[in-house]
Amino acid sequence: MDFRTPELDQLGATLPSTYFQLSTSDARDRYFADTRMLDGKQLAHNRFRTNPRTMADHLLEQMALTGRERWLDLGCGNGFVAEQIRPHLASGKIVGLDIAPGVLEAARTRMAGVATPCEWVEGSADDLSAFADDAFDRVTAIYMMHYVPDIDTCLHEAARVLAPGGRFILTTDRPDSMVEMFDAHFSAMRQMNAPEYLFKSTPKGRISLLNGHEQLTAHFAEIDLQTWQDQLRFTAVGPFLDFYAAHNYCCAASAPGDGLEPGFFTELRERVGEHAQMVIDRDGFFAVTKFTGSFICQ
Ligand SMILES: C[S@@+](CC[C@H](N)C(=O)[O-])C[C@H]1O[C@@H](n2cnc3c(N)ncnc32)[C@H](O)[C@@H]1O
């Protein structure tokens, strides 16, 4: 599937090149304090996709499981991924690590009673001192590495706990993934003369499909990149606005609000909604194109 067009490339070039950085306390106590935001995003990615293969389908292929592996999932969130992979690890073991106790609790609840042994560990992915060298056959970091304060230490630690012959899989996006949504957001902010400090991209620029390879080479001998695309299509503005509002920092509900008028986010959401409605009236749907992929490292 190739959704790339010259128009999308052009839009991508207009996105801010600086990005927000999520603090550990914001990740733990604010954005991932509970599972609601993650639930909403995961549901929307699956419900509105046009690629028949889900992210878990791609990941399963990349993990190449025999069913006996010991798997460490860094930034495991609410266990949404683990639930889909687990049947392929009937004789294996799952350890999910996350900084946020709220989402970890959701993972624990979700996976309670499954046959594969599961362990849920609270901690930051750049400190894996709780785990021995070579303790895992698969280590994954799925849409989470851009939040980790010390990415280089995290990659070093991932390589240390990975057994010989194992795989480390880093799943992330291109910085211009979902550009239509971010363009609507930044255009509305420009119309509102929003303060300059809000014109930043998501933290994904810290480690993305574009710059991930150079950060991984210090820690892994073999690095293979597999990419795929998807296009979410929203034919009603409400579900799109819910999806938009679930994006950390770059959305109408969770951008840092210091010094902003109380109605700022309401107006921003209305303007983004008006734009999306105009596109839906014109095209039949509002498209959000995803450029995503995984580095498979050994
Ligand atoms: C976008 S979610 C992805 C969750 C899950 N991997 C998925 O794909 O469904 C990012 C996750 O990273 C976690 N996180 C953020 N900073 C972290 C850190 N320093 N160490 C471990 N997890 C972290 C968040 O709490 C959140 O659960």
Side-chain angles (χ1 to χ4, degrees):
M1 297 183 121
D2 192 1
F3 294 107
R4 208 168 158 189
T5 62
E7 291 74 28
L8 279 187
D9 284 349
Q10 238 167 8
L11 276 188
T14 66
L15 293 177
S17 55
T18 52
Y19 41 77
F20 285 109
Q21 192 163 340
L22 199 66
S23 70
T24 297
S25 59
D26 269 354
R28 190 185 52 225
D29 307 327
R30 198 171 168 200
Y31 297 108
F32 302 106
D34 64 49
T35 189
R36 277 176 301 183
M37 198 173 74
L38 261 182
D39 285 348
K41 274 209 278 197
Q42 290 158 344
L43 195 80
H45 278 290
N46 265 347
R47 182 172 288 163
F48 298 100
R49 70 193 151 90
T50 49
N51 188 330
R53 299 189 70 212
T54 64
M55 185 270 285
D57 291 334
H58 288 94
L59 188 67
L60 261 177
E61 195 176 296
Q62 295 156 4
M63 288 181 83
L65 297 170
T66 65
R68 292 184 297 278
E69 286 77 9
R70 301 158 295 169
W71 170 36
L72 171 65
D73 188 22
L74 302 174
C76 62
N78 56 8
F80 171 80
V81 180
E83 183 176 42
Q84 297 170 78
I85 303 297
R86 197 219 44 89
H88 302 265
L89 275 176
S91 310
K93 176 185 166 186
I94 299 174
V95 178
L97 175 136
D98 203 285
I99 193 83
V103 295
L104 264 185
E105 189 50 39
R108 191 176 285 116
T109 305
R110 176 181 226 135
M111 300 290 277
V114 301
T116 310
C118 295
E119 207 181 306
W120 307 104
V121 179
E122 186 183 328
S124 187
D126 47 12
D127 176 7
L128 302 182
S129 53
F131 308 114
D133 295 2
D134 305 343
F136 298 98
D137 307 295
R138 298 289 181 273
V139 179
T140 52
I142 304 161
Y143 302 120
M144 63 75 66
M145 191 60 78
H146 50 285
Y147 295 131
V148 174
D150 186 343
I151 291 175
D152 194 56
T153 298
C154 180
L155 297 177
H156 174 83
E157 282 288 275
R160 179 185 66 76
V161 301
L162 191 66
R167 289 181 176 205
F168 171 64
I169 298 172
L170 171 71
T171 303
T172 184
D173 288 332
R174 245 172 48 179
D176 58 346
S177 189
M178 306 197 287
V179 66
E180 302 95 329
M181 177 175 78
F182 292 119
D183 175 62
H185 169 75
F186 289 118
S187 299
M189 288 216 300
R190 274 193 293 275
Q191 289 162 10
M192 294 168 65
N193 293 319
E196 202 50 42
Y197 73 89
L198 288 181
F199 287 86
K200 286 186 177 172
S201 287
T202 77
K204 284 190 176 163
R206 295 183 65 217
I207 182 158
S208 72
L209 292 185
L210 292 191
N211 63 10
H213 194 277
E214 65 201 58
Q215 300 185 56
L216 288 159
T217 44
H219 307 285
F220 298 96
E222 280 178 46
I223 302 164
D224 180 33
L225 173 61
Q226 290 184 14
T227 61
W228 71 95
Q229 298 180 15
D230 199 351
Q231 191 169 70
L232 311 183
R233 291 183 181 170
F234 297 89
T235 58
V237 85
F240 165 67
L241 282 176
D242 291 344
F243 182 69
Y244 163 66
H247 283 80
N248 310 333
Y249 282 79
C250 281
C251 77
S254 63
D258 295 354
L260 297 171
E261 296 293 321
F264 177 85
F265 292 119
T266 313
E267 184 181 344
L268 183 55
R269 187 181 159 96
E270 278 169 11
R271 284 179 185 267
V272 169
E274 278 165 21
H275 172 75
Q277 189 61 61
M278 185 270 290
V279 175
I280 292 170
D281 293 342
R282 188 191 64 201
D283 301 341
F285 57 85
F286 186 79
V288 177
T289 307
K290 291 167 53 178
F291 299 106
T292 192
S294 296
F295 292 100
I296 299 140
C297 313
Q298 303 190 39

